[in-house]
Amino acid sequence: MTEIFVLAEHRQGQIRDLTMEMLTKGRELAEKVEADLIVILLGKDIKDMAQVLRDHAKKVIMVEDPGLENFNSDLYQEVLAGLIEEHKPLLTLIGHTSFGVDLAPSLAASLNTPLATDCIDLKFKDDVLIVTRQMYGGKVNAEASLRKAESYIVTVRQATFPAEKEVSMEGEIIQIKGQLPDRKIGKRFVQYVLPPPGGVDITSADVIVAIGRGIKDSEEIPQVEDLANALGGVLACSRPIVDKGWLPDDRQVGSSGKTVKPKLYIALGISGAFQHILGMKNSDLIVAVNKDPKAPIFGVADYGVVEDLFKLIKPVVNEIKEIKG
Amino acid sequence: MNIVVCVKHVPETAEAEIKIDPSEKSIEKTSLVYDINEWDDYALEEAIQIKERLGGTVTAITVGPKEADSTLRKCLARGADAAVRITDPKFENSDCFATAKILNRAMKDLAFHLVLTGALADDDGCTATGPILAELLGVNHATMVRKIELNGDVAKVNRELEGGLEEVVEVNLPAVLSVQTGINEPRYVSIMGIRKAMQREIKVLGSAEIGLDDDEVGQEGSWVRIEKMYLPPVEKQAEFLKGTPEEIAAKIGEMLKTRGLL
């Protein structure tokens, strides 16, 4: 029987949401091509996780070893390559996360197995794997085919597929001994580093005024601050502003920053890369100002303005002050 | 410390309105401005800073047409010691795998301790060329790197995870590290500096010189073939407020007031 592998992603004892999302898609594909859905679970002290995951798959292949306690692309690659060579799964799904991008490309190269990354959809058409992925920072979708092969690897974007609910598959748990290499390991996990505490907690703000690439100079920021102050809100931003050092890390909204859900989110000069949208799409009311009418931010905003943000700030601040009296 | 920096010459699209080319396999590129890929810009800066601290050389390398020379000139102006461009019409439609094979071959004769590149390229967003190259070179790698500390033959790096969390890993050199934006502050290059770099030599290599067969590169040597590009379908669309800035401001004020946000 053909197999589809889903590599479970977990950290510090928690199964990450994306694992369940990949299982949703994995199951759909497995039913179509009549394959068995197999979860691959690597780690240390992972029996409880295996119990949860067995409800979602035909089998859970569990490789438990102290050396696999923390994610390490070097060791994970070796174990996973062995499993793929032995089982020849039609497809292996891996999350397009910091974990997945450290693992999947070199794994694919070592096996010469075609890889497509950051996919938002995938399907089999005859024997060929067709994927949909985004390009140019999410402004373009591309449908692409993979070179015909007996096995494929795909990394899947987070929050693209719904997380799978309980399905009670009662799959078999197969525990195998890790074939950890005895060669010298080229890469070693040292520790996790948490972001420094303190600063402004943007996650508790009711009103957020967020800035992005549309801001060209740090000297333009006080104008935006005026708007945030008039609204009694806080200033936040997308990644480029933090990268430039114009605002501290704790003001960043998005997958690598904070997830926020204020009553009002005003996005100024933010085009709306997927990573940013993940962090703010559940805000109660979203107003976006951008020069590009096709900017993805308008796909999540309730109200949009296609305009130079600096032409708009002053009139809006005046209007708010007038209403507030 | 001899460092190779892999860079890509890409169109700037963050603030441009994108149109799909009639072939539906590309975007219309004629009106777009090209520059060094933003992530690679940080990789370049990191390489120059390491060189300033520890000595050694920085070689910038790219796969691309003649126009990509402007990106290499920028690298030279910033402080790179040498620049290499690998080019061939046969390279067209190469994906990250084919590109990594080209880079691998071109780097065979370069003595390096460290390879730096951007975590991803802004155009295709593959996030894969660096670690594939590492595998082909037979060296270690780390991706999404936000900090690099070098101690002898070991690089201690911080990798970006999610929500502000990072992990620290040690990687034995030689290694390929692909860096995230924000790892440093790329320095400003003056027009004078770029003008001076115009006189520097850029070494150009073709496919015969690096010894790759035709079926190893371009579409045939790639894993992924683009079939069709289209603008993402709009599932939900904002209600657009129109008028003069004052009229729009009045509408926004009214709307916030109605919702009890003022």
Side-chain angles (χ1 to χ4, degrees):
Chain A
M1 186 87 173
T2 323
E3 293 175 330
I4 290 180
F5 279 7
V6 171
L7 177 66
E9 181 163 339
H10 56 91
R11 183 177 301 134
Q12 293 168 303
Q14 298 290 318
I15 299 169
R16 305 198 66 224
D17 293 346
L18 178 58
T19 304
M20 295 304 175
E21 295 161 19
M22 289 191 288
L23 286 168
T24 302
K25 193 65 195 179
R27 169 172 328 284
E28 182 197 311
L29 291 167
E31 281 167 6
K32 271 195 194 131
V33 300
E34 294 180 3
D36 284 344
L37 185 62
I38 314 284
V39 172
I40 307 296
L41 177 63
L42 315 184
K44 181 195 165 208
D45 301 331
I46 47 176
K47 292 197 175 61
D48 292 348
M49 277 188 260
Q51 286 299 331
V52 174
L53 292 167
R54 68 188 285 242
D55 278 342
H56 300 267
K58 177 93 176 174
K59 283 181 208 161
V60 176
I61 297 179
M62 181 169 101
V63 185
E64 208 167 18
D65 191 287
L68 298 170
E69 178 174 10
N70 292 294
F71 169 71
N72 180 330
S73 66
D74 203 1
L75 298 176
Y76 267 59
Q77 180 177 324
E78 192 121 341
V79 174
L80 209 50
L83 289 171
I84 290 175
E85 279 187 320
E86 184 191 331
H87 288 251
K88 298 261 184 289
L90 178 60
L91 174 66
T92 300
L93 297 179
I94 298 175
H96 192 78
T97 56
S98 187
F99 169 119
V101 302
D102 215 43
L103 169 69
S106 49
L107 172 69
S110 76
L111 296 165
N112 194 7
T113 295
L115 164 79
T117 54
D118 197 16
C119 295
I120 57 171
D121 205 2
L122 57 159
K123 63 185 178 205
F124 285 97
K125 201 169 162 188
D126 303 321
D127 280 348
V128 181
L129 179 60
I130 310 281
V131 300
T132 306
R133 55 192 310 282
Q134 294 200 309
M135 296 176 68
Y136 302 102
K139 289 191 170 186
V140 173
N141 279 12
E143 201 175 274
S145 60
L146 275 79
R147 184 165 84 196
K148 210 166 172 248
E150 58 177 357
S151 190
Y152 301 96
I153 300 174
V154 167
T155 66
V156 176
R157 179 179 285 193
Q158 313 176 53
T160 302
F161 305 113
E164 193 168 66
K165 303 275 180 288
E166 206 116 321
V167 281
S168 303
M169 294 273 290
E170 288 182 31
E172 184 187 353
I173 296 176
I174 299 165
Q175 191 166 2
I176 60 168
K177 222 182 123 28
Q179 303 280 313
L180 293 198
D182 32 11
R183 66 178 164 83
K184 206 164 159 254
I185 308 299
K187 194 175 190 177
R188 296 163 297 278
F189 173 86
V190 180
Q191 62 179 9
Y192 290 113
V193 183
L194 286 162
V200 173
D201 180 15
I202 57 169
T203 61
S204 62
D206 282 340
V207 176
I208 290 177
V209 178
I211 53 175
R213 226 181 263 274
I215 302 286
K216 296 292 174 211
D217 195 306
S218 60
E219 287 175 12
E220 295 168 347
I221 293 178
Q223 291 184 58
V224 187
E225 219 153 17
D226 285 348
L227 175 61
N229 291 339
L231 286 163
V234 300
L235 201 57
C237 62
S238 61
R239 179 165 197 132
I241 300 291
V242 167
D243 283 347
K244 289 193 177 99
W246 293 349
L247 284 178
D249 285 14
D250 55 20
R251 302 287 183 119
Q252 188 185 330
V253 173
S255 54
S256 53
K258 302 273 172 58
T259 301
V260 297
K261 199 178 169 297
K263 288 180 182 150
L264 172 63
Y265 191 91
I266 300 185
L268 302 175
I270 292 176
S271 67
F274 151 78
Q275 291 86 345
H276 182 77
I277 286 177
L278 258 191
M280 49 65 78
K281 63 178 179 189
N282 292 323
S283 305
D284 293 349
L285 179 69
I286 301 169
V287 180
V289 182
N290 202 292
K291 277 194 261 187
D292 175 8
K294 290 191 181 134
I297 192 78
F298 291 127
V300 291
D302 300 286
Y303 294 96
V305 181
V306 180
E307 180 60 275
D308 177 352
L309 65 100
F310 291 104
K311 286 189 187 150
L312 203 64
I313 288 181
K314 206 159 234 163
V316 173
V317 170
N318 291 340
E319 188 68 27
I320 292 165
K321 283 184 177 160
E322 204 168 294
I323 294 171
K324 280 190 166 177
Chain B
M1 183 71 52
N2 291 337
I3 306 172
V4 176
V5 187
C6 307
V7 298
K8 190 174 186 182
H9 188 61
V10 297
E12 284 182 358
T13 54
E15 288 175 88
E17 192 181 335
I18 304 293
K19 293 198 178 78
I20 305 293
D21 178 270
S23 71
E24 294 191 328
K25 295 198 176 182
S26 172
I27 58 168
E28 282 186 12
K29 292 176 178 168
T30 43
S31 62
L32 297 172
V33 179
Y34 278 65
D35 201 348
I36 183 170
N37 171 44
E38 192 182 349
W39 283 259
D40 299 340
D41 199 26
Y42 285 93
L44 171 68
E45 178 63 32
E46 196 63 20
I48 303 296
Q49 289 187 15
I50 293 170
K51 182 181 103 164
E52 285 168 350
R53 280 201 307 273
L54 304 174
T57 61
V58 172
T59 303
I61 183 165
T62 194
V63 179
K66 180 105 189 73
E67 293 75 43
D69 279 352
S70 66
T71 278
L72 290 177
R73 302 242 177 254
K74 199 168 190 175
C75 298
L76 290 168
R78 279 272 191 77
D81 301 279
V84 181
R85 181 166 60 85
I86 322 147
T87 189
D88 202 294
K90 291 168 192 152
F91 294 169
E92 206 182 333
N93 295 322
S94 288
D95 70 352
C96 55
F97 179 49
T99 303
K101 284 188 278 187
I102 297 165
L103 289 168
N104 172 46
R105 279 304 177 98
M107 285 168 61
K108 281 277 186 250
D109 300 328
L110 292 175
F112 61 86
H113 305 101
L114 188 60
V115 179
L116 295 178
T117 189
L120 63 115
D122 200 25
D123 53 355
D124 60 32
C126 278
T127 332
T129 310
I132 293 172
L133 174 62
E135 186 66 33
L136 299 177
L137 288 166
V139 303
N140 300 304
H141 73 267
T143 57
M144 311 295 277
V145 171
R146 282 294 299 262
K147 187 179 169 193
I148 302 173
E149 232 180 86
L150 295 165
N151 300 305
D153 287 335
V154 177
K156 195 172 175 186
V157 306
N158 284 35
R159 294 189 61 243
E160 179 177 300
L161 301 174
E162 303 81 20
L165 186 69
E166 295 184 348
E167 67 171 5
V168 181
V169 295
E170 284 181 346
V171 184
N172 293 352
L173 300 184
V176 178
L177 304 179
S178 40
V179 309
Q180 234 326 351
T181 53
I183 185 174
N184 52 40
E185 280 180 49
R187 70 195 65 186
Y188 173 77
V189 194
S190 67
I191 303 283
M192 269 300 280
I194 294 198
R195 217 172 271 164
K196 258 183 159 168
M198 293 301 280
Q199 287 133 37
R200 306 266 298 274
E201 191 209 344
I202 290 175
K203 192 173 169 187
V204 179
L205 299 173
S207 116
E209 277 139 313
I210 58 168
L212 271 176
D213 294 337
D214 290 359
D215 61 358
E216 289 287 308
V217 296
Q219 191 62 72
E220 226 185 317
S222 292
W223 283 331
V224 176
R225 173 197 291 269
I226 291 172
E227 302 288 354
K228 191 183 174 198
M229 280 192 195
Y230 55 97
L231 298 178
V234 179
E235 281 157 26
K236 179 194 142 192
Q237 180 73 285
E239 181 188 333
F240 284 104
L241 305 175
K242 293 189 175 122
T244 63
E246 286 71 23
E247 287 163 1
I248 294 169
K251 286 178 191 170
I252 291 176
E254 183 60 34
M255 183 257 297
L256 296 181
K257 194 178 152 192
T258 320
R259 291 177 178 247
L261 289 162
L262 290 179

